[in-house]
Structure formats: C-alpha cells, structure tokens
Amino acid sequence: MYGILEGTGFEVIEPEFATLFAGHIRVERLWSGARWCEGPAWFPAGRYLIWSDIPNNRMMRWDETDGSVSVFRPASNNSNGNTVDLQGRLVTCEHLARRVTRTEHDGSIRVLADSYDGKPLNSPNDVVVKSDGSIWFTDPFYGIASDYEGDQSPVEQDGCHVYRIDPSDGGIRRVADDFAQPNGLAFCPQERFLYVSDTGASHQPDGPAHIRRFAVAEDGQLTGGEVFANCTNGLFDGFRVDRDGRIWTSARDGVHCYTPDGTLIGKVLIPEIVANVTFGGPKRNRLFICGTTSLYSVYVFANGADRPV
Ligand code: MG
C-alpha cells in the first residue's frame, strides 16, 4: 500500500520526535475487518504477528512473508493481551475463561493463572514477561462488565489489581492494589521500572487516565507508583517501550510517544481509536498498531526493547 492514508501521519510536538521518522514514511493499514483489536505480539522465528479481535472471539495472524491474514485461533475465549515468553511461546489473557494461558510448543494450552485467594480473577487484560521468566498481568473488570467481550459476571476479587506469576513455582502474588482499572503494562529496557496504565476513566468520569511508574526490586516488589503521564486524548490502554526508554502508547487519536522523563514529544496519528501497539519485524523497528477495526503498521527510527516486552 503506497500513498497517504487519510487521517494518518506524524505530529511533531518536540524536536526529538522529528528524528524518529523520515518524511516519506507512511502509515499502512495492513488489514481491516475486526470489531476491536488488541494484544499484538510479534513472533520473530515465524515472522508473524498474532493479535486478538475480542468481541469476535478470535485471534488473528498476519504473516510478514506474504502479507496474508488468517484466523489463528477461533473460539479464543475472548482473548485480549498477548505476549511472547523467553522460550518463544504465546502467553494470552482470556476474558471469557478469566485466565492467563500459555500455548506450549506442542500446541496445547496450559493455564498459568485463573484465581487468586480462592476466587476467580476478573478478566486478565494485558501481560508481559520479565527477563527472569516472571509473568506480570493486569486484571480489570472489562471482560465481565457485559456480554460483549466475555460473560457478564460479578466481580469476586476485592478490586482490580496487578499480579505476578513466579517463574520458579508458578505462585501468584498481588503486586499492586491501588488501581481503578489497571490495563497495559511494560518494563523499561533495564527493568528497573514497570509502567502500568490505569483506564479507570472509562467507568468513572473523573477516574484515572494515566500511566504510573513503579521501581522494581529483584524479588518483584514494587515501590513508588507515581503518575508518569496523563493522557491528553482518550485513554492509555496498551503501550511498549523502545531501547532508548521512550514509551509508545495507545490513545484515542493514535500513538503518543513519551520520553523517559514524561514529556509528550509526538504522535503517530491513526484514524481509529488505538488500543495496543508492539514493535516487530527483524529489527523491531516496525510499530504494529491495533486500531479498533484494523491492524496498522509504520516504520520508525526506534527499536523495541530486545526482551519480549
Ligand atoms: Mg488493554
């Protein structure tokens, strides 16, 4: 696809952002036909991208070798966030089954987390893997708030929290309990910090619409949690961090780019609401963007962190 896609482009707010693209680079719409896209995850060995079409209860696959798109997994339990673990396996948040799973090398699906303190999780939303193999996920109630993205069900946890699955014994620990609706999450390149978004404004008019930053101890304890950035247009849902520590985050009008000190330096404008992004391609310099009904991509002069964040 060549030429200018209407409603797209780069918006420079601070001069640094102008160094992150070339003027002739265009946003491409790779595919359209979903109801609500989230959870892009890049598989370098297979050169494909997996993502979720939540209300249509399916996972899709875009193949870099020929640009084709196919259904990767029908009846996906209204999957949402996906990531790739240290062994190249798919890790998935499922609204309908209210769990986090891992797809093993033989294709079988193993449950990693479906309860805490003897009660079902709400509806795991997004997930990342740290370099020590621990798996971190958020658990807002979006997937059980209606029948649209799962089964409408009561919340049985005492709120919406952030959890960590221990790599040694699979134990689940609650690591943050002061969120309204924890949503996207990602580590900075050195993993000294964990960023977590709160999209509580979706259900409370004066609720949070921000990303918070926590310091991460070796044992997984979090401290701090100050607000890193407030969203200026819509909500921060999912986001990723590049090797220089910049945050590329979803928002209503596209992808917003922040420097590690919390400065909004520019945007990639997208004509639909953006929910999640990830870096992919052999050099991890191609940003894949889940925007409502469509999958978009754009090359940038930045590279996603090498770890599967
Ligand atoms: Mg999300």
Side-chain angles (χ1 to χ4, degrees):
M1 183 187 298
Y2 299 98
I4 297 174
L5 187 60
E6 195 175 341
T8 67
F10 293 94
E11 179 182 326
V12 176
I13 298 171
E14 297 290 340
E16 178 178 341
F17 195 64
T19 70
L20 299 179
F21 65 93
H24 62 276
I25 292 179
R26 302 292 178 229
V27 173
E28 301 165 73
R29 183 185 285 127
L30 300 176
W31 180 83
S32 195
R35 284 203 162 85
W36 181 256
C37 294
E38 294 214 36
W42 175 253
F43 289 76
R47 296 179 57 191
Y48 57 83
L49 183 93
I50 297 288
W51 81 98
S52 301
D53 176 3
I54 305 175
N56 280 326
N57 193 26
R58 61 182 179 171
M59 296 171 72
M60 309 300 293
R61 185 177 98 137
W62 175 84
D63 188 330
E64 187 192 36
T65 66
D66 62 3
S68 64
V69 170
S70 55
V71 176
F72 170 76
R73 178 177 296 166
S76 59
N77 288 325
N78 300 107
S79 67
N80 187 336
N82 298 291
T83 195
V84 183
D85 77 0
L86 306 179
Q87 287 76 41
R89 296 169 296 192
L90 169 65
V91 178
T92 298
C93 295
E94 300 179 1
H95 283 179
L96 187 70
R98 304 168 70 163
R99 65 186 189 179
V100 179
T101 63
R102 183 173 67 214
T103 303
E104 305 289 4
H105 289 303
D106 67 2
S108 61
I109 294 175
R110 175 172 170 172
V111 178
L112 303 180
D114 60 2
S115 65
Y116 179 79
D117 199 21
K119 302 177 196 118
L121 296 169
N122 299 325
S123 52
N125 188 291
D126 210 346
V127 59
V128 288
V129 176
K130 194 167 176 279
S131 62
D132 63 2
S134 58
I135 298 169
W136 301 61
F137 67 94
T138 55
D139 189 42
F141 65 50
Y142 296 122
I144 56 173
S146 75
D147 286 327
Y148 187 58
E149 296 190 355
D151 278 344
Q152 186 170 20
S153 308
V155 171
E156 296 185 51
Q157 297 292 331
D158 62 1
C160 299
H161 308 302
V162 184
Y163 297 89
R164 173 187 181 273
I165 305 173
D166 193 276
S168 60
D169 62 5
I172 301 165
R173 193 198 319 163
R174 190 177 276 175
V175 290
D177 62 1
D178 59 349
F179 279 78
Q181 299 287 348
N183 201 321
L185 71 177
F187 289 97
C188 76
Q190 298 78 31
E191 299 181 331
R192 290 190 299 121
F193 297 109
L194 174 71
Y195 296 94
V196 186
S197 68
D198 195 332
T199 49
S202 64
H203 284 68
Q204 307 162 243
D206 58 347
H210 55 220
I211 291 173
R212 295 169 62 188
R213 187 175 73 172
F214 294 87
V216 185
E218 194 73 19
D219 65 357
Q221 294 283 345
L222 299 182
T223 53
E226 67 279 6
V227 173
F228 168 76
N230 281 299
C231 194
T232 56
N233 194 339
L235 300 169
F236 296 134
D237 191 325
F239 52 91
R240 288 292 181 263
V241 184
D242 71 24
R243 287 180 195 161
D244 296 315
R246 298 181 204 92
I247 289 85
W248 299 73
T249 177
S250 63
R252 178 185 291 148
D253 56 346
V255 181
H256 294 189
C257 183
Y258 285 84
T259 50
D261 68 358
T263 303
L264 176 62
I265 60 170
K267 301 178 180 181
V268 181
L269 299 173
I270 298 292
E272 299 183 86
I273 297 170
V274 173
N276 285 177
V277 304
T278 200
F279 287 97
K283 299 179 181 177
R284 287 193 184 270
N285 62 341
R286 190 174 189 177
L287 193 62
F288 290 91
I289 300 162
C290 284
T292 310
T293 66
S294 307
L295 176 68
Y296 298 86
S297 83
V298 66
Y299 283 93
V300 292
F301 297 169
N303 307 80
D306 284 325
R307 288 176 301 93
V309 294

